Amino acid sequence: MQIISTIAQLRAWRKQAGTVAFVPTMGNLHAGHMALVHEAKKHADKVVVSIFVNPIQFGQGEDFEQYPRTLEQDAEKLQQAGADVIFAPSVQEMYPHGAQQYFVEPPPLQNELCGRTRPGHFRGVATVVTKLFNIVQPNVACFGKKDYQQLAVLTAMVQDLNMDIRIIPVATERASSGLALSSRNGYLSAEELQQSAQLYQQLQAIAADIIQGRRDFDVLEQTATAALNQLGWRVDYIEIRQANTLQKAQCTDQEIVILAAAVLGRTRLIDNLEVNLSH
Ligand code: PAF
């Protein structure tokens, strides 16, 4: 496995690489990322994993500085998982003019759900992923369903901008408690970790109610929000949406996703659960 930090070297490697599956990450890798690498290996001759903590997707007061940078441990894990290349550029390599001058502007979905409290976040994600796609030139790219809105934005971006890249969604990896694996779980105290599965439990409770036939989505959202707030969380949103479009779910929809973001202590966690009523 090679670790490459410049765009020029990556481009030189790419010329002789055959088909490439790409896993973009911000590092601090866990089993969720490894699942992306294992999936990637099924789809191409070579697997490239990027590790880049992208400043332009973090807002003021968010955790850009604090975000864990663990390249050495990440490299060991990726070597074991059978990745071929780590692309780990510096901020200067990715943004040589300091500020990015051209952006990929996602449609209004970028301002909903996580976008309501993270203005500019999805623009930063879409822009860096486009830059990484232009550098790595992958045939396929794997993204986790845990970041469901990100996956939706990027899937639509690839279609709308006619990028010849297949996006492969990969199921969320969970701890035995049900907590979705995330690099940000490392911010949780031992006590918060004990409590953290409550978010997923609320999603499961809503899913069970929907499967039982309830369609009063507003009430389900409000009840789960109140329950989590009562348990000491600060709920950002819990919303029931159409799985494919992320538009508000209608009572006749068959493919639904319940999405949530909530703050526990000082850590903002996100999660989601798909419900398919057609089978
Ligand atoms: O999901 C992430 O880790 C990041 O948003 C991504 C896709 C690597 C872009 O920086």
Side-chain angles (χ1 to χ4, degrees):
M1 188 184 70
Q2 292 183 60
I3 302 182
I4 294 179
S5 58
T6 69
I7 295 167
Q9 275 176 294
L10 199 283
R11 287 201 201 283
W13 172 86
R14 178 69 187 93
K15 286 202 170 76
Q16 47 74 50
T19 57
V20 165
F22 181 38
V23 180
T25 82
M26 298 205 299
N28 195 235
L29 305 180
H30 50 67
H33 296 109
M34 293 309 127
L36 298 178
V37 175
H38 292 308
E39 184 62 35
K41 282 179 74 69
K42 297 181 196 160
H43 296 278
D45 301 330
K46 297 278 192 274
V47 172
V48 175
V49 179
S50 65
I51 296 182
F52 180 63
V53 185
N54 172 38
I56 68 165
Q57 70 186 75
F58 289 79
Q60 288 266 315
E62 290 190 351
D63 57 344
F64 173 67
E65 273 86 20
Q66 195 192 346
Y67 202 87
R69 281 129 172 117
T70 52
L71 183 57
E72 214 172 297
Q73 295 94 306
D74 292 345
E76 274 170 33
K77 290 178 189 166
L78 289 172
Q79 170 94 55
Q80 274 184 12
D84 297 280
V85 165
I86 298 177
F87 178 53
S90 64
V91 171
Q92 163 72 21
E93 182 73 7
M94 289 297 284
Y95 299 109
H97 308 295
Q100 177 71 14
Q101 297 174 43
Y102 290 80
F103 288 89
V104 177
E105 194 70 48
L109 174 61
Q110 70 164 320
N111 300 317
E112 299 180 32
L113 302 166
C114 283
R116 273 202 294 272
T117 50
R118 305 192 71 190
H121 170 69
F122 290 108
R123 180 172 101 136
V125 170
T127 302
V128 80
V129 169
T130 299
K131 285 164 72 81
L132 290 166
F133 281 175
N134 286 338
I135 296 163
V136 176
Q137 310 236 329
N139 302 87
V140 306
C142 297
F143 291 91
K145 285 193 182 185
K146 203 210 120 228
D147 297 298
Y148 205 92
Q149 188 177 6
Q150 168 173 284
L151 175 63
V153 166
L154 295 175
T155 303
M157 177 186 85
V158 161
Q159 284 165 6
D160 212 37
L161 295 179
N162 307 102
M163 296 178 176
D164 192 12
I165 298 168
R166 185 152 67 91
I167 301 292
I168 300 176
V170 179
T172 303
E173 290 285 314
R174 296 183 181 279
S176 54
S177 66
L179 172 68
L181 297 191
S182 161
S183 301
R184 291 192 169 96
N185 294 350
Y187 300 152
L188 297 169
S189 69
E191 198 182 321
E192 289 163 354
L193 206 52
Q194 295 263 322
Q195 219 190 317
S196 57
Q198 290 165 346
L199 182 62
Y200 185 52
Q201 285 159 8
Q202 287 302 326
L203 299 184
Q204 287 178 305
I206 296 177
D209 282 338
I210 294 174
I211 290 164
Q212 292 291 315
R214 280 190 58 180
R215 293 293 178 271
D216 49 349
F217 294 149
D218 289 352
V219 177
L220 293 176
E221 290 166 359
Q222 285 158 18
T223 308
T225 300
L228 275 178
N229 284 336
Q230 185 70 32
L231 289 163
W233 295 67
R234 272 174 296 125
V235 174
D236 186 352
Y237 64 83
I238 298 183
E239 291 205 29
I240 302 166
R241 297 246 172 166
Q242 293 175 351
N244 294 323
T245 62
L246 284 189
Q247 296 305 305
K248 284 237 165 259
Q250 307 298 315
C251 54
T252 50
D253 284 330
Q254 298 289 294
E255 290 174 27
I256 286 171
V257 59
I258 311 153
L259 305 113
V263 180
L264 184 57
R266 284 161 32 153
T267 308
R268 184 175 182 278
L269 299 177
I270 60 170
D271 202 351
N272 64 79
L273 182 56
E274 291 173 306
V275 183
N276 191 340
L277 298 166
S278 65
H279 48 245

